[in-house]
Amino acid sequence: ACFRGCALLSSIQFSSAKTIGSYAFENCKKVAKFNFAGVEVVKTHAFDGTTISSVSSDTITTLEPYAFNNCWNLTSITLNGLESVDFAMFEGASYVKNFTFNKATELIVPEGGIVKVCDNISSFTAPLLTALPDNTFNGCLELKTCATEKLSTVGENAFCSTAITTLNFSNLSEIGAGAFSNMKQLEDARSSTVHGTKLGLDISKYFVDMMGG
């Protein structure tokens, strides 16, 4: 917590920091930017209360819950060093809209789905991800874009009630019940906007709520 509460601190530059400690910049309200190059670990509440607006890193491999708590300006997180993404690490970051994980191959979500942590999510990108757990985006009413073209498994209610208009799949082979239910924005074009099912899989039956049962 070396800079905790430094209200006038506005510029930070490190050349070799690998770990940002707990509460390191808590309530440093003028801290709006941070260069995460080389940083591997960000501890809990490290940037709590700062005005940082985006996080982009190819090196972070560990992010503790509440690291970005109360960062009301933070809308975009790109973490390309993570192969496994546990959304519990984003506790306290409910205002983030855009998430990108270009190397992630595993996704872990809280019971009840991502909406329990980040209810403002509008864009999700994870091009190497092959499976979505049950309820992944269930209730994420603002989610309009999901770039997960390599999915082979979509869990129960995974996209339920999202605002997505287009879904593209090239290897889809397993779909859970209600996976695409209540997707009102997809209703008019479901046959032409959901592409590429493996083994001739008929996905229309998974739009149960939209089709009246």
Side-chain angles (χ1 to χ4, degrees):
C2 51
F3 298 103
R4 188 178 190 179
C6 293
L8 298 179
L9 182 65
S10 61
S11 179
I12 306 167
Q13 185 172 355
F14 294 112
S15 60
S16 58
K18 291 188 176 182
T19 299
I20 307 298
S22 301
Y23 302 93
F25 302 106
E26 185 189 26
N27 290 328
C28 296
K29 298 185 182 300
K30 290 191 175 183
V31 173
K33 294 181 179 180
F34 188 86
N35 185 355
F36 288 91
V39 175
E40 298 175 358
V41 178
V42 181
K43 297 282 192 175
T44 187
H45 294 277
F47 292 91
D48 193 331
T50 65
T51 53
I52 190 170
S53 60
S54 65
V55 174
S56 181
S57 170
D58 293 332
T59 56
I60 290 175
T61 56
T62 301
L63 182 69
E64 293 187 355
Y66 299 100
F68 300 107
N69 191 49
N70 294 322
C71 295
W72 305 116
N73 290 340
L74 181 59
T75 59
S76 176
I77 291 180
T78 298
L79 297 175
N80 292 330
L82 293 178
E83 294 184 2
S84 177
V85 176
D86 185 344
F87 253 78
M89 68 179 67
F90 300 114
E91 286 280 2
S94 63
Y95 27 79
V96 179
K97 296 179 180 296
N98 306 308
F99 290 92
T100 300
F101 311 104
N102 282 323
K103 290 186 178 179
T105 56
E106 180 186 32
L107 180 65
I108 302 169
V109 301
E111 185 176 355
I114 287 174
V115 71
K116 301 298 182 182
V117 178
C118 299
D119 56 357
N120 287 311
I121 184 172
S122 63
S123 172
F124 180 86
T125 300
L128 300 183
L129 201 63
T130 59
L132 289 184
D134 294 348
N135 296 304
T136 297
F137 299 114
N138 190 358
C140 293
L141 304 181
E142 302 299 319
L143 184 65
K144 297 178 176 65
T145 302
C146 185
T148 50
E149 292 84 357
K150 289 194 175 182
L151 286 179
S152 60
T153 302
V154 176
E156 294 182 5
N157 300 308
F159 289 103
C160 180
S161 300
T162 63
I164 292 173
T165 58
T166 302
L167 288 170
N168 295 291
F169 303 116
S170 60
N171 197 41
L172 197 60
S173 59
E174 183 177 347
I175 307 175
F180 307 106
S181 61
N182 273 336
M183 294 180 69
K184 302 301 184 183
Q185 304 301 316
L186 196 64
E187 182 171 8
D188 293 335
R190 59 180 178 269
S191 62
S192 61
T193 59
V194 182
H195 306 288
T197 55
K198 192 176 182 181
L199 302 177
L201 190 64
D202 177 12
I203 67 170
S204 61
K205 62 185 177 181
Y206 298 98
F207 291 86
V208 288
D209 290 349
M210 293 186 346
M211 300 176 69

